[in-house]
Amino acid sequence: MGACERLPIGVFDSGVGGLTVVREIRRHLPGLDILYFGDTARVPYGNKSPETILRYSLEIGAFLVGQGIGSLVVACNTSSATALGRLGEDFPVPILGMIEPGARMAVSKSRNGRIGIIGTRATVASGAYERAVKALDPGAFVTSAACPLFVPLVEEGWVDGPVTLEVVRRYLGPLLAQGVDTLILGCTHYPVLVPAIEQAAPGVHLVSSAHAAALDLRERLGPGTVPDGKPGDLRVFVTDTGTHFQAMGDLILGEPIPVLEKIEEERLVFHAK
Amino acid sequence: MGACERLPIGVFDSGVGGLTVVREIRRHLPGLDILYFGDTARVPYGNKSPETILRYSLEIGAFLVGQGIGSLVVACNTSSATALGRLGEDFPVPILGMIEPGARMAVSKSRNGRIGIIGTRATVASGAYERAVKALDPGAFVTSAACPLFVPLVEEGWVDGPVTLEVVRRYLGPLLAQGVDTLILGCTHYPVLVPAIEQAAPGVHLVSSAHAAALDLRERLGPGTVPDGKPGDLRVFVTDTGTHFQAMGDLILGEPIPVLEKIEEERLVFHAK
């Protein structure tokens, strides 16, 4: 990615959840300019078919490449799991997904080689994390669970309390029963639930793919500079606006997000090479 | 609607939840042919902006009118609450929404004139049910609550059990504290949660807008006939397919749903008159 480091980086997700990745990037590479794209009109991707997820991902990739980005971070695990290879074929910029960095960090952290993966229905069904972990450690035991209620809980702001803890327990129970000592949070929304997950799974290493991807990006780009002492610019494009997205964005990013710039869906067009 | 009764009826919803309305229509008007459209690629509508909901509704209305329907049932409460008036201006067929029938049944059932409304964030924010109830009974007391976790719970198949009951209690608590004796289930998914809602709100009249709309339709069309003893045809169009939608559709419809017919989003175009 070295040659492109002066250009802004593009980051996209199905909604505002990918701002957890932006937050990590700004923490580890504060000087980078970032163009974020949240497909808020078509969120969530996690229950959709691979064909639909691929089409949406290609449309957004084409939009961001058209904005002059130097590299692209696919902050959506569902999209990373189903569309990353194809995005790499179609766009002339380096592309970083969530799966490989998360899998690498999990393999390095696990002591007993038993790794659990949680994500959306589509991410889990893709088997992408399992393949990535097995490629790094063929002897690893890997088990996974789809947690479709986690994203709605975060979006409702119910990040702790008895309901959330009970939902977390119900999803994680089968994984813990299989002795996993490391758990990959394979969805950008899930880091918001870490306190509840820690309570339900004490002593288990939690791997945030958002955090792992930001570290990976820093390794590829070199540490970011802070020109004139200023942090990099952040622009946020969305396909649908609403006060709810703005409020949720602030919560997830951990700082006030800029005014949302609405992109009409008609502008999202992908022409295969 | 009298002149159009030989033509199929169009029914649309953001996803497969509107099959609760189809189920009621088939129960009360078994002879009708039905074209159902579920916008499964862009589901849910409940968190989206009014502009986006209107655009999607117009696109689907145009598609169904192009298929030769004689009347249109907007089975999506969110769309009924935000787009019904505009749909009526743009399409040359009678249009029936969810709001008016649900409000009328609630007013007729309530003994103390205190009516609660639950729905998606967008439905509640629109104030459409409140206005409809107040138009019928200006002295009514109306209070409402958005329940964004209900749809994900139904879609996950968690329709009873402690988590669901606790979520129901938490959302309904403030309404019950205000003494409502009647509750409008202002979202097509909610009838699936009736056992949990009855447990959390004993003695409260529950009004299903799906049921109310089917009765309203029968009143307008006259009782359906069953030609040759056969029930009417049902075709199901969707914007995204997947085994999950098929399984959920069976659950919600209460009979096996036909093979899903996928409509590419490019075909969904609306040109204003």
Side-chain angles (χ1 to χ4, degrees):
Chain A
M1 286 190 171
C4 310
E5 64 206 57
R6 291 281 168 199
L7 296 172
I9 191 166
V11 180
F12 86 82
D13 183 37
S14 57
V16 292
L19 290 169
T20 55
V21 179
V22 172
R23 185 179 191 160
E24 293 288 337
I25 294 174
R26 284 167 81 80
R27 193 151 73 95
H28 295 287
L29 290 156
L32 272 188
D33 293 336
I34 299 176
L35 302 183
Y36 181 84
F37 193 107
D39 195 4
T40 49
R42 305 188 291 197
V43 70
Y45 285 4
N47 294 324
K48 297 181 176 37
S49 70
E51 298 72 33
T52 295
I53 295 162
L54 176 62
R55 182 161 58 80
Y56 290 173
S57 301
L58 289 168
E59 288 172 0
I60 295 168
F63 174 84
L64 286 171
V65 168
Q67 297 288 314
I69 56 170
S71 52
L72 177 63
V73 175
V74 181
C76 177
N77 278 267
T78 301
S79 178
S80 294
T82 52
L84 198 70
R86 179 65 195 277
L87 289 166
E89 287 166 26
D90 277 280
F91 299 119
V93 297
I95 296 181
L96 177 68
M98 295 290 111
I99 310 295
E100 163 68 23
R104 196 148 15 88
M105 188 179 276
V107 167
S108 78
K109 282 202 174 184
S110 178
R111 290 289 153 262
N112 69 1
R114 300 179 79 80
I115 293 171
I117 293 147
I118 54 176
T120 64
R121 201 172 268 128
T123 297
V124 166
S126 76
Y129 271 110
E130 280 90 333
R131 283 193 299 278
V133 168
K134 292 275 193 185
L136 294 161
D137 177 4
F141 169 83
V142 184
T143 179
S144 60
C147 307
L149 287 168
F150 279 5
V151 169
L153 281 169
V154 170
E155 301 207 332
E156 181 64 332
W158 292 17
V159 297
D160 49 26
V163 166
T164 303
L165 190 58
E166 184 56 32
V167 173
V168 171
R169 287 209 166 107
R170 195 151 152 186
Y171 282 134
L172 297 193
L175 302 185
L176 298 175
Q178 292 174 87
V180 304
D181 78 340
T182 302
L183 187 65
I184 299 177
L185 310 181
C187 172
T188 48
H189 279 72
Y190 295 2
V192 179
L193 295 174
V194 158
I197 294 171
E198 281 177 338
Q199 208 177 329
V204 170
H205 299 293
L206 302 185
V207 172
S208 153
S209 44
H211 177 63
L215 294 183
D216 205 64
L217 188 66
R218 188 172 65 174
E219 206 167 284
R220 295 202 204 184
L221 294 180
T225 54
V226 186
D228 309 326
K230 282 187 206 149
D233 282 338
L234 171 62
R235 291 178 67 186
V236 178
F237 303 104
V238 291
T239 45
D240 194 14
T241 53
T243 51
H244 180 64
F245 293 125
Q246 192 91 36
M248 211 159 64
D250 293 350
L251 170 79
I252 293 175
L253 186 61
E255 60 177 294
I257 60 171
V259 173
L260 305 175
E261 301 178 48
K262 183 167 174 186
I263 304 301
E264 299 299 332
E265 282 168 61
E266 300 90 274
R267 288 181 61 190
L268 297 178
V269 184
F270 171 74
H271 299 290
K273 279 192 299 193
Chain B
M1 285 191 172
C4 309
E5 65 206 58
R6 290 283 167 196
L7 296 173
I9 190 167
V11 179
F12 86 82
D13 183 36
S14 57
V16 292
L19 290 169
T20 56
V21 179
V22 171
R23 183 179 194 160
E24 292 288 337
I25 293 174
R26 283 167 81 80
R27 193 152 73 95
H28 295 288
L29 290 155
L32 271 188
D33 292 337
I34 299 176
L35 302 183
Y36 181 83
F37 193 107
D39 195 4
T40 48
R42 305 188 289 196
V43 70
Y45 286 3
N47 295 323
K48 296 182 174 41
S49 70
E51 298 71 34
T52 295
I53 295 162
L54 175 61
R55 183 161 58 81
Y56 290 173
S57 302
L58 289 168
E59 289 171 1
I60 295 168
F63 173 84
L64 287 171
V65 168
Q67 297 289 315
I69 56 170
S71 52
L72 178 62
V73 175
V74 181
C76 177
N77 279 264
T78 301
S79 178
S80 295
T82 52
L84 198 69
R86 178 65 193 278
L87 290 166
E89 288 166 25
D90 277 278
F91 299 118
V93 297
I95 296 181
L96 177 68
M98 296 290 112
I99 309 295
E100 163 69 23
R104 195 151 11 89
M105 187 179 277
V107 167
S108 78
K109 282 202 174 182
S110 179
R111 290 289 152 265
N112 70 1
R114 300 179 78 80
I115 293 170
I117 294 147
I118 54 176
T120 64
R121 203 172 267 130
T123 297
V124 167
S126 75
Y129 271 110
E130 280 91 332
R131 283 193 299 279
V133 169
K134 291 277 194 183
L136 294 161
D137 177 5
F141 168 83
V142 184
T143 179
S144 59
C147 306
L149 287 169
F150 279 8
V151 169
L153 280 169
V154 170
E155 302 207 331
E156 181 64 332
W158 292 17
V159 297
D160 49 26
V163 166
T164 303
L165 190 58
E166 183 56 32
V167 173
V168 170
R169 287 211 167 105
R170 193 151 154 187
Y171 281 134
L172 297 192
L175 302 185
L176 298 175
Q178 293 175 85
V180 305
D181 78 340
T182 302
L183 187 64
I184 299 177
L185 310 181
C187 173
T188 47
H189 280 72
Y190 295 1
V192 180
L193 294 174
V194 158
I197 294 172
E198 281 178 338
Q199 208 177 329
V204 170
H205 299 293
L206 302 185
V207 172
S208 153
S209 44
H211 177 64
L215 294 183
D216 205 64
L217 188 67
R218 187 172 65 174
E219 206 168 284
R220 294 200 204 185
L221 293 180
T225 54
V226 185
D228 309 326
K230 282 188 204 147
D233 281 338
L234 171 62
R235 290 178 68 186
V236 178
F237 302 103
V238 291
T239 45
D240 194 15
T241 54
T243 52
H244 180 64
F245 293 125
Q246 192 91 37
M248 210 162 60
D250 293 350
L251 170 80
I252 292 175
L253 186 61
E255 60 177 292
I257 60 171
V259 173
L260 305 175
E261 300 179 48
K262 184 168 173 187
I263 304 301
E264 300 299 331
E265 282 168 61
E266 299 88 273
R267 289 181 60 191
L268 297 177
V269 184
F270 170 74
H271 298 292
K273 279 193 299 193

